[in-house]
């Protein structure tokens, strides 16, 4: 057991810390869930890319640094510690990219990844539909073969699409074989949103920003090379990387540790008046953030020893989503009546409340934990 | 960064585990505190070196560190070992090592011929009092000095405890000679807190295993009760509790082993997380067993009651969270 940085890791940490301290946006950027804010975030993402920090774990040829998993974790930690903003590119670099690395053709990887890294393209996730939420396999949007044109025609509606109104591309599941079983007839498509027949309507999330979108497809043509991982293979392809979304890549411990540090500072700034119960709440939140870090370090060691976390990523998801709410709720209690004012804690709280809903609701995760980790029988 | 037991630590852990599974059945547990097989089990633990795990080799121990201690005591917790293993491994061994006048006591402990109890708060109330020959008293919170008192120098009375397997006593009489003060006491306190946290992790794992097995076997409404979502989700939450407490306990062992300046904070965090996790799992396990868990004729209650006792021993979760709060500058 050795929880310290190696000398190479320490050097990597120092380099990241120094660069971030000098470059992170100050004052902080506005929300990336409005058109104007999004544009500023894109600039920041390009600055990250130019300095080689956009996608540290990717191969150099796609704009990364070939960083190890541990170095990636260190970067995340330093990133959030510096106060840098949430990443509007996350759905591309953390959700689509792992799928591309696993299932994409060489041509797809070469075409898509460098533009994603450089924030020339920004990707959104088109899974949910009005009738397909937790029951994702009930997707109705369909793709019909257009033999003559050498591709597919997409029709239907996606919804709750995060930043769909600002993104340039969407990855999504569409039904290609209506006769096959629910999970069998789905295909994973990569769709430019400027294609003819696409209509996007942004709408407000809980905080009022246009962070959600409905995306409508009306006979939208995509060529054959828009299929990722094989026709009718979409379910398998999508599920192979859900671990990234629930687990450590989308929500690494660094951001929660930073929130916990801010919470401790907030509590300490009140001086001697700190209520004992609230002090205890702060301590519990801080400990939970540390516990998430330690759980993750152990999980990463497991991954490096060849144990893929698989369903265990549902444990991560349950833990970080509840943790995030707890940290913010405690902060709002400390702030008191001014907590209703628009500010980082009230915004953060509203954001955190989505955690138990997206990436598979926590009810669904508990069922996965029960069935796959504890071995309880299915209904 | 590498967060896992070494191959040797894993090996040692599995030796301990199979020994305890073989020799500490729930029948043996029920026979505590003075069951006929317990002295033999204690000797076996001595023979494989477990009791002197932290004692330097030149004093007859294995010279291992607190990470190994955590690994071993998780296994002790898993069987609710009704013997003062944490007292011997975490406290007595390291404190007595290097005291030439107590060489024979140490040697007897390491061989598993003698047990020693602990009374950190010096209240005169402590477990394992009937079988132990000595009690180490004092050192609460790592302050003051620790005294070595022969138990037969005073009077002993049994106390009725919810956990009868630990043999709780009230001891009155003169306090013996001081054997440690200063940093040794602080280290001893932290080790004992950490050892108790490790036992709680093991207890939590065991109760969860029992509940899972039960809900798979037990059928109602024509189906295993473990197929009902309310039951599934409660057990999933229980797993989350344990999975996120255990790394903190291991990491606190690492902090102690490396002499980290955060060791006190880390140990307190470990105890607070392990205690609340095990207590929460205990409730869930009881609920999932239905009335079967509510009877002393079934085994679950033995583990519940040990959990209640250990969650409060060596400082409860609230006490340790205040320690963490102090280290964060939130509590004076
Ligand atoms: C902030 C945010 C961002 C999002 N971003 C995206 C995105 O970018 N792309 C995208 O595709 N989707 C996105 N989503 C949608 C998200 O994936 C869905 O909300 C989620 O899958 C749940 O579906 P639903 O909202 O239809 O809820 P429903 O499935 O209708 O669930 C309603 C309630 O019923 C419970 N429930 C449902 N089924 C079961 C069951 N079998 N057992 C027990 N309880 C059950 C749920 O847990 C929930 O509490 C986002 C959602 C949020 C909140």
């Amino acid at each position: 057991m050795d929880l310290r940085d190696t000398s190479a890791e320490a050097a990597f940490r120092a380099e990241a810390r120094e660069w971030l301290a000098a470059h992170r946006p100050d004052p902080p950027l506005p929300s990336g869930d409005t058109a104007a804010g999004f544009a500023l975030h894109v600039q920041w993402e390009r600055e990250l890319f130019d300095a080689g920090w956009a996608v540290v774990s990717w191969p150099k040829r796609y704009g990364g640094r070939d960083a190890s998993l541990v170095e990636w974790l260190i970067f995340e930690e330093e990133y959030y510690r510096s106060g840098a903003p949430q990443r509007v590119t996350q759905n591309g670099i953390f959700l689509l990219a792992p799928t591309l690395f696993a299932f994409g053709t060489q041509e797809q990887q070469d075409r898509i990844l460098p533009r994603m890294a450089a924030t020339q393209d920004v990707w959104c996730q088109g899974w949910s539909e009005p009738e397909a939420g937790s029951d994702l396999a009930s997707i109705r949007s369909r793709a019909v073969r257009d033999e003559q044109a050498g591709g597919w025609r997409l029709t239907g509606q996606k919804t709750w699409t995060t930043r769909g109104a600002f993104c340039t591309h969407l990855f999504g599941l569409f039904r290609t074989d209506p006769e096959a079983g629910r999970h069998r007839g789905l295909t994973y498509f990569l769709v430019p949103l400027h294609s003819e027949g696409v209509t996007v309507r942004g709408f407000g999330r809980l905080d009022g920003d246009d962070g959600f979108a409905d995306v409508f497809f009306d006979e939208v043509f995509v060529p054959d090379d828009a299929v990722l991982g094989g026709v009718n293979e979409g379910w398998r392809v999508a599920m192979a990387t859900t671990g990234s979304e629930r687990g450590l890549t989308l929500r690494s411990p660094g951001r929660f540790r930073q929130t916990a540090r801010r919470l401790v500072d907030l509590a300490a700034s009140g001086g001697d008046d700190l209520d004992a119960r609230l002090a205890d709440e702060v301590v519990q939140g801080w400990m939970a953030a540390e516990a998430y870090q330690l759980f993750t370090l152990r999980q990463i060691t497991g991954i490096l020893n060849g144990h893929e976390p698989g369903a265990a990523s549902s444990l991560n998801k349950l833990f970080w989503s509840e943790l995030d709410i707890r940290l913010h709720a405690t902060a709002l209690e400390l702030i008191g009546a001014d907590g209703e004012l628009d500010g980082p804690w009230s915004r953060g709280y509203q954001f955190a409340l989505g955690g138990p809903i997206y990436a598979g609701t926590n009810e669904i995760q508990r069922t996965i934990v029960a069935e796959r980790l504890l071995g309880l029988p299915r209904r | 960064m590498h967060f896992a037991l070494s191959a040797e630590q894993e090996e040692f852990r599995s030796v301990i585990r199979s020994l305890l599974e073989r020799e500490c059945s729930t029948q043996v547990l029920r026979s505590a505190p003075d069951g006929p097989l317990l002295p033999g089990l204690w000797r076996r633990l001595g023979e494989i070196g477990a009791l002197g795990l932290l004692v330097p080799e030149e004093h007859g121990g294995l010279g291992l560190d607190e990470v190994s201690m955590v690994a071993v005591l998780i296994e002790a917790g898993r069987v609710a070992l009704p013997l003062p293993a944490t007292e011997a491994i975490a406290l007595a061994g390291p404190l007595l090592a290097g005291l030439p006048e107590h060489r024979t006591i140490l040697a007897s402990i390491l061989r598993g011929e003698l047990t020693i109890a602990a009374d950190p708060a010096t209240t005169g109330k402590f477990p394992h009092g009937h079988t132990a020959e000595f009690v180490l008293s004092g050192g609460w919170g790592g302050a003051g000095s620790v005294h070595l008192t022969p138990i037969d120098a005073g009077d002993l009375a049994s106390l009725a405890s919810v956990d009868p397997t630990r043999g709780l006593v009230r001891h009155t009489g003169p306090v013996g000679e001081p054997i440690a003060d200063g940093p040794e006491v602080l280290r001893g306190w932290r080790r004992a807190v950490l050892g108790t946290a490790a036992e709680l992790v093991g207890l939590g794992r065991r109760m969860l295993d029992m509940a899972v097995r039960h809900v798979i076997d037990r059928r109602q409404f024509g189906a295993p009760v473990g197929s009902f979502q309310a039951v599934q989700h409660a057990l999933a939450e229980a797993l989350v509790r344990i999975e996120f407490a255990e790394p903190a306990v291991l990491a606190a062992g690492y902090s102690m082993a490396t002499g980290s300046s955060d060791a006190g904070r880390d140990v307190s965090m470990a105890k607070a997380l392990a205690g609340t996790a095990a207590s929460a799992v205990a409730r869930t396990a009881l609920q999932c067993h239905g009335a079967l868990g509510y009877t002393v004729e079934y085994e679950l209650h033995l583990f519940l009651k040990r959990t209640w006792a250990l969650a409060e021993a060596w400082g409860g979760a609230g006490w340790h969270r205040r320690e963490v709060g102090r280290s964060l500058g939130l509590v004076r």
Side-chain angles (χ1 to χ4, degrees):
Chain A
M1 192 136 143
D2 187 352
L3 302 185
R4 294 162 307 180
D5 289 345
T6 62
S7 56
E9 287 161 2
F12 179 87
R13 185 188 294 280
E15 189 188 348
R17 183 175 290 191
E18 194 180 329
W19 188 88
L20 286 160
H23 295 87
R24 64 146 169 101
D26 188 21
L29 297 182
S31 155
D33 297 331
T34 63
F38 186 82
L40 295 171
H41 280 258
V42 166
Q43 274 176 26
W44 162 242
E45 288 291 337
R46 289 183 181 153
E47 199 179 337
L48 278 175
F49 174 76
D50 289 339
W53 296 112
V55 286
V56 292
S57 60
W58 292 14
K60 286 209 177 71
R61 66 178 186 285
Y62 294 137
R65 291 182 179 233
D66 286 307
S68 70
L69 198 50
V70 175
E71 286 171 334
W72 172 80
L73 194 76
I74 290 172
F75 175 73
E76 286 275 304
E77 165 112 20
E78 293 302 326
Y79 183 87
Y80 287 105
R81 178 192 269 274
S82 78
Q86 289 183 32
R87 313 261 327 250
V88 295
T89 49
Q90 63 173 25
N91 286 355
I93 62 181
F94 293 146
L95 305 184
L96 172 57
T99 318
L100 270 170
F101 282 117
F103 297 97
T105 63
Q106 192 64 53
E107 183 277 326
Q108 285 173 321
Q109 294 180 4
D110 293 347
R111 173 162 50 90
I112 296 168
L113 290 168
R115 294 184 57 82
M116 188 194 297
T119 320
Q120 289 166 311
D121 301 336
V122 191
W123 289 79
C124 57
Q125 180 192 42
W127 286 12
S128 305
E129 297 180 1
E131 299 302 325
S134 298
D135 186 11
L136 183 59
S138 65
I139 278 172
R140 295 179 180 182
S141 294
R142 60 184 197 277
V144 178
R145 183 81 196 136
D146 185 336
E147 208 61 67
Q148 212 171 359
W152 299 81
R153 298 230 168 244
L154 313 179
T155 300
Q157 180 191 350
K158 296 292 176 182
T159 191
W160 317 122
T161 314
T162 293
R163 288 181 286 276
F166 319 123
C167 287
T168 60
H169 289 70
L170 172 143
F171 58 95
L173 291 173
F174 292 79
R175 193 163 294 285
T176 34
D177 183 355
E179 308 298 314
R182 284 169 13 103
H183 300 87
R184 292 257 165 74
L186 298 171
T187 299
Y188 196 126
F189 281 96
L190 304 169
V191 192
L193 288 175
H194 53 73
S195 307
E196 206 184 315
V198 175
T199 311
V200 180
R201 178 189 80 93
F203 61 99
R205 303 213 294 207
L206 189 61
D207 61 12
D209 289 347
D210 278 353
F212 273 149
D214 284 323
V215 186
F216 301 92
F217 301 84
D218 182 12
E219 303 267 318
V220 174
F221 177 77
V222 290
D224 280 330
D225 63 13
V227 171
L228 177 56
V231 174
N232 294 335
E233 294 289 328
W235 186 261
R236 193 174 63 85
V237 173
M239 288 304 123
T241 49
T242 50
S244 319
E245 179 168 15
R246 293 171 189 155
L248 58 97
T249 40
L250 188 69
R251 294 291 180 260
S252 70
R255 60 194 278 165
F256 306 109
R257 288 180 99 192
Q258 176 62 10
T259 307
R261 274 191 287 267
R262 285 171 49 225
L263 177 62
V264 168
D265 290 346
L266 178 70
S269 70
D272 285 350
D273 293 341
L274 184 58
D275 169 80
R277 185 191 61 80
L278 272 176
D280 189 46
E281 278 295 321
V282 174
V283 167
Q284 291 195 48
W286 182 86
M287 293 197 311
E290 290 300 298
Y292 186 47
Q293 161 83 355
L294 294 169
F295 175 89
T296 304
L297 294 181
R298 199 182 194 194
Q299 189 172 48
I300 284 186
T301 301
I303 293 172
L304 295 174
N305 290 335
H307 308 292
E308 276 305 317
S313 61
S314 294
L315 295 172
N316 299 55
K317 205 258 154 169
L318 285 165
F319 197 83
W320 64 248
S321 57
E322 299 295 346
L323 164 63
D324 205 20
I325 292 177
R326 168 176 222 165
L327 294 171
H328 285 90
T330 306
L332 289 178
E333 228 190 310
L334 281 165
I335 294 169
D338 281 352
E340 73 170 301
L341 297 175
D342 188 23
W345 288 110
S346 60
R347 286 201 159 248
Y349 180 61
Q350 293 178 80
F351 181 79
L353 287 173
I357 302 174
Y358 63 79
T361 70
N362 284 11
E363 287 70 33
I364 299 298
Q365 304 311 315
R366 288 187 192 100
T367 299
I368 293 173
V369 168
E371 290 180 354
R372 303 222 212 124
L373 298 180
L374 295 176
L376 298 185
R378 284 165 185 269
R379 267 305 260 168
Chain B
M1 196 284 297
H2 180 80
F3 191 152
L5 296 180
S6 67
E8 296 77 39
Q9 286 165 336
E10 278 293 357
E11 168 74 23
F12 194 48
R13 173 190 173 125
S14 78
V15 167
I16 299 283
R17 183 170 187 157
S18 45
L19 168 69
L20 292 175
E21 276 175 358
R22 213 169 46 240
E23 298 197 20
C24 191
S25 64
T26 46
Q27 234 165 330
V28 171
L29 173 55
R30 278 181 192 278
S31 76
D34 43 20
L37 296 177
L38 289 167
L41 172 55
W42 192 243
R43 272 195 304 279
R44 294 282 292 121
L45 286 167
E47 277 163 25
I48 59 177
L51 301 177
L53 187 158
L54 290 177
V55 172
E57 284 170 279
E58 66 264 31
H59 297 299
L62 296 184
L64 300 178
D65 67 11
E66 286 83 354
V67 177
S68 300
M69 177 187 84
V70 166
V72 165
L73 289 174
I74 287 176
E75 298 308 327
R78 201 188 294 270
V79 296
L81 181 69
L83 288 162
T86 291
E87 287 86 337
I89 297 173
L91 204 60
L95 286 185
L96 293 172
L99 300 180
E101 64 276 28
H102 296 304
R103 200 180 295 143
T104 50
I105 300 180
L106 177 65
S108 305
I109 294 174
L110 299 195
R111 280 198 302 272
E113 292 168 2
L114 181 152
T115 63
I116 195 159
D119 178 18
T122 328
T123 56
K125 180 190 70 126
F126 51 85
H128 307 293
H130 281 298
T131 41
E133 285 182 39
F134 294 92
V135 56
L136 291 169
S137 52
W140 179 267
S145 42
V146 170
H147 300 253
L148 180 70
T149 305
I151 290 198
D152 60 13
D155 291 324
L156 208 57
S158 292
L159 288 178
S161 160
V162 286
D163 177 14
T165 62
R166 288 202 313 162
L168 196 69
V169 299
R170 165 84 57 202
H171 184 253
T172 42
V175 172
E177 57 172 313
I179 59 159
D181 51 27
E184 276 310 304
V185 172
L186 184 60
R187 258 199 296 277
W189 162 261
R190 286 177 180 167
R191 285 180 178 131
V193 170
L194 179 61
T196 310
E199 288 191 76
L200 284 160
V201 167
L203 283 159
R205 292 256 180 225
R206 175 63 172 271
M207 292 183 289
L208 182 57
D209 286 352
M210 290 174 79
V212 165
R213 215 171 324 122
H214 178 71
V215 302
I216 291 172
D217 291 343
R218 169 74 175 167
R219 297 177 71 87
Q220 286 291 281
F221 302 98
V225 294
S227 66
F228 300 126
Q229 205 175 58
V231 171
Q232 293 192 337
H233 287 192
L235 290 172
E237 277 304 315
L239 181 63
V240 169
R241 293 297 207 116
I242 290 293
E243 286 286 347
F244 284 85
E246 189 176 61
V249 177
L250 279 163
Y254 173 80
S255 288
M256 285 213 72
T258 52
S260 161
S261 56
D262 292 327
R265 183 197 71 193
D266 294 349
V267 165
S268 279
M269 169 165 139
K271 179 66 166 56
L273 290 176
T276 46
S279 301
V281 174
R283 269 217 62 186
T284 302
L286 172 59
Q287 186 66 19
C288 291
H289 274 82
L292 187 64
Y294 199 75
T295 167
V296 294
E297 294 191 351
Y298 189 68
E299 306 171 342
L300 181 69
H301 83 106
L302 297 162
F303 299 89
L304 297 181
K305 291 167 180 172
R306 178 65 59 78
T307 301
W308 301 342
L310 293 191
E312 295 306 321
W314 300 94
W319 192 93
H320 283 287
R321 289 203 299 261
R322 273 194 303 282
E323 288 296 298
V324 175
R326 232 182 291 282
S327 79
L328 295 175
L330 297 177
V331 176
R332 288 170 172 262

